[in-house]
Amino acid sequence: MLQLPGCQGIYYMLGKDNKSLSITLWDDEDALKGSEQAAKAIRDETSAEQGMAIRSVEAFEVLARHIKGAS
């Protein structure tokens, strides 16, 4: 995912009962929209390899960022 233009980062999280969540961060909405086809292929491949099902895909706007030690 990081190789896609405009991708700033990704978080993979694993919760209870083997549920997982991925969050990707993009330069802007155009970069996000431009990644949709490639991102779907990556999600489909990764979920198949891990034996997981994709429950939903949603987009959110980052309104604020507070990370200790980050500028």
Side-chain angles (χ1 to χ4, degrees), residues 2-59:
L2 290 172
Q3 73 275 16
L4 296 176
C7 184
Q8 291 296 309
I10 185 165
Y11 292 91
Y12 291 114
M13 294 168 266
L14 183 62
K16 294 181 180 180
D17 301 324
N18 233 15
K19 291 181 183 177
S20 65
L21 173 68
S22 300
I23 298 174
T24 54
L25 302 170
W26 299 90
D27 285 339
D28 53 33
E29 190 172 354
D30 289 337
L32 171 63
K33 287 184 181 198
S35 75
E36 287 176 352
Q37 189 174 15
K40 181 183 180 329
I42 292 168
R43 283 192 303 271
D44 291 346
E45 181 180 330
T46 302
S47 63
E49 287 173 0
Q50 297 176 2
M52 297 182 152
I54 298 170
R55 298 282 175 116
S56 68
V57 176
E58 300 180 46

